[in-house]
Amino acid sequence: MGINYSEKIPNNVDLGNDRRLQRALEKWLPEFQGWWRELGPVESHDYDVFLRTAISVDKGGWANYGHVKMPDYRWGVFLSPSEADRKINFGMHKGQDAWQEVPGEYRSELRRLIVTQGDTEPASVEQQRHLGRTCPSLYDLRNLFQINVEEGRHLWAMVYLLHAYFGRDGREEAEEMLARHSGDADKPRILQAFNEETPDWLSFFMFTFFTDRDGKYQLASLAESGFDPLSRTCRFMLTEEAHHMFVGETGVQRVIQRACDLMNEHKTDDVRSFGGIDLATIQRYINFHFSVSIDLFGQETSTNAANYYTMGLKGRYQETRIDDDHILTDATYKVPEIRDGKVHMIDASALNAVNERLRDDYVADCQRGVDKWNRTIAAAGIDFTLTLPHRGFHRGIGIYANSCLTPDGKVIDRAAFEKQKGEWLPTDSDRIYILSLMKAVTEPGKMASWIAPPLKGINGQPIDYEYVRFN
Amino acid sequence: MTIDFRTEPGQYKHWKIEIDGNVATLTMDVDEKGGLVPGYDLKLNSYDLGVDIELYDATQRLRFCHPEVGAVVITSGKDRVFCSGANITMLAGSSHAHKVNFCKFTNETRMGIEDASDGSQQRYICAINGTAAGGGYELALATDEILLVDDGSSAVSLPEVPLLAVLPGTGGLTRVVDKRMVRRDHADFFCTVTEGIKGKRARDWRLVDELVPRSRFDEVVTEKARQSAARSDRPKDATGIDWPMVARQEEGDTITYGTLSVGIDRSSRVATFTVKGPTADAPANAAAAQEQGIAFWPLALARDLDDAILHLRTNETDIGVWALRTSGDGHMVESYDNLLAAEADNWFIREVRLYLKRCLKRLDVTSRSLITLIEPGSCFTGTLLELVLAADRSYMLDGSFEDDDQSPAALRLTAMNFGPYPMGNGLTRLQTRFLENGERYAELEAETGRDLLAEDADELGLVTFIPDDIDWEDEVRLALEERAAFSPDSLTGMEASLRFAGPETMETKIFGRLTAWQNWIFQRPNAVGEAGALRKFGTGTRAEFDPNRV
């Protein structure tokens, strides 16, 4: 296969001159394309989509807009520019030069981190592949596809690292990422949240708000890595991740806006009669997606996380801005423990608690989004407050996994939980109702009944712009 | 704290036995909070001695209570985790002696599984339905066939060297190269990657036998087990025997079983085992023997002796010398041996023979000085004569004690001395004893069934010394006193080296090579020092190694 590398695969890793990498990609690329055809967005191959493509990492280069067919999207391999003389900022190697090559003793740990992160990227594409059929507007459809191609590019980013630095094992792992499929009974994705379905657009907005935000925190902590290529890759990925969370945050916000508008217009709480989604249902979706997403941070105390930190492979969120010794051997951190039917906070080794610390940062970030949503409700003059549930609510991993907590954090028995579950988590009838709303709206500028239009269009275009052409 | 090796399914915390026709399934679902001692959680199906005591009990029951079972599946009840091996916090917090005893017992249990496969045709299949790490994979290695779920992430691994600075403690290294015949260079790589090997490479390198998609896993495992069970010669519709817990009574320093008593003398650090021979002749045939169930004397003896060895080995570590005595009628012992020899093909008798074999092997690998005392009134015949041959030394009274009208002590060989009880090296104790002299072995076979008095026994090389009644008391006392005064460590090393002369087998390699290395590594600061890997495991800080290679 003849590939003009700089044209076909925009990159800043000198792909045109890297024979080894070319050979690796030549085998992988058709497999990726086959995967996209099979498991990428359904029925979308001929659409022209108004996409943002990164062609370089400088200011003007990373956001080029134009109508593109998704299979022709130039996925590209980009790393943030290297920082001169970058040092390792934490762990036992703190102060030493950042690694430009994989350190032999940490090869398998690094590979594992990259594989776990990489596996989530194509997973969300698979989870979302049917959503195009039920888009609430062209604007939203375009955002979905933008997210999908960028998740694809993030897969590329991880595959690049595997190909460039991990030899045959790396190439095999890169193939496995295309072999595992979300929800596949035989080859499921590594993390359970990525095997759940994203059946409707409310779930999609929740997913991009909550679950992609987990991605942001994972990428941010990998961006601190002492392995410089990983750090640079993740830093560039973070620039794209911001858009995904924007889609989630404004998506939910627009659903809320629409609910409020209907309530005020019809002077009723019963917005369902008018094709809207009521705030109580939104709260239940928040409860579900928040709890599933915080499971992704892992156990409250984790030996693996501690090891990764000490080895200098994965840091904390904004590591260098934290005022401590960045070694943590003597530091403690508060983690929860359930004793006598109550949640207590106890001191644990800060090293072992880096997962929990990352979760704390994440929860605070989620709260900022929820606060914004509440401002929308308040501005509409409606007396209702959305909240994040207690972090022990509906958990499958960690110390809460075997306990039942209410959304406000009381430990209750399983029977009581089962009895009240329907008040706290989406019920079958909620899901059936939401699905009943999922009908494609494809006329430029028009919106589905359950969502308000966005405040502005994309890249200066009007809201009724033809963001997707169906041909 | 005293550790009791006796349990029963009603008390299990970690295992479940299910039987469906000729197939049994042992499901490991470790209770995190069910550790033997406080201080660690048994996360991710990791195990401690308590978990293995249940496994041992379960394998014994499958042999004796379920003759219809021709195949046993071992699998995990956890999602995506098969077993993550020995619990590291438990290891780090345990005394050296406990670690060694724990490893020894787990090794013996794994070998018992192999013995069930080879000896009883009760084939074991390991259904690895998630990650199998360290001891988890070693458990799989003990089975005949390893199936691995092929889900793109489940792997097998032996990460002890890179993660813990120790070796796989339950025969992992040896079984990988000797049993599964994995190439040495592949094994080297495999044993240094913490996350292990999955999928096609695991199969290509022979680390597993078959890869099975998740959706077909249960079906394929069941089918394999059915086929395996169909090939087994175990009776398809026989009924097993009852298997209550071993009865043991303790009074002060005397422990009494039905066929055995053990007296502990703490001042001299000697435990004296007295085996009681049968009080009647053997039943007429296998069916009558099975009728007696656990009361069948050779089986009762195996159960009692097994428990006594385990109990003393674990709970009485400073009792360094075991004196072995018997009392009873040699002719009756011989009648049992004749039954065991004549009915070897019967499933129940086969199990009893195999159990006695394993029990004697357990004695062989026990780090205690074994001294057999053969006096008038003893019954060292056949099966019990193995105690003489297993001992590091034996003393036989030449003649009788003054004022004692018992006839002089005699030894007697039976068919059971010539094959059914091989040692770990694959040879009988007699073959091992006369490695240089094959003729002697033939000569001894000709002596079967004849009473051998002290001089004959000495002449034939069956005993070490034959003091007469004038010297007996002093000789024995001095031997025991001298023994108790040596360094226990050097004695352990010496005895273990001398006991297994002759060819090497996988079993002797595991006990003699791996365990010895491990015992050394378990003492080294790189593993167990303040900054050693076992201490540092789980803290997120790294071990510091002394770079000197020794």
Side-chain angles (χ1 to χ4, degrees), chain B residues 307-324:
Chain B
D307 188 70
I309 296 170
L310 289 169
H311 173 63
L312 264 76
R313 205 158 81 177
T314 304
N315 299 313
E316 299 285 356
T317 47
D318 57 354
I319 305 302
V321 181
W322 290 357
L324 307 172

Side-chain angles (χ1 to χ4, degrees), chain A residues 88-102:
Chain A
I88 298 166
N89 294 316
F90 58 93
M92 64 185 294
H93 300 288
K94 188 184 143 193
Q96 298 171 10
D97 287 341
W99 301 297
Q100 300 305 323
E101 292 294 333
V102 176

Side-chain angles (χ1 to χ4, degrees), chain B residues 322-326 363 369-375 380 384-396 411 463-465 472 476 480:
Chain B
W322 290 357
L324 307 172
R325 304 171 75 241
T326 55
L363 190 61
S369 296
L370 305 176
I371 295 184
T372 309
L373 303 176
I374 309 153
E375 297 154 280
F380 287 104
L384 292 183
L385 177 58
E386 293 292 313
L387 297 176
V388 178
L389 306 173
D392 299 300
R393 272 189 216 174
S394 54
Y395 290 81
M396 184 170 185
L411 303 181
V463 295
T464 320
F465 299 113
W472 175 261
V476 170
L480 298 178

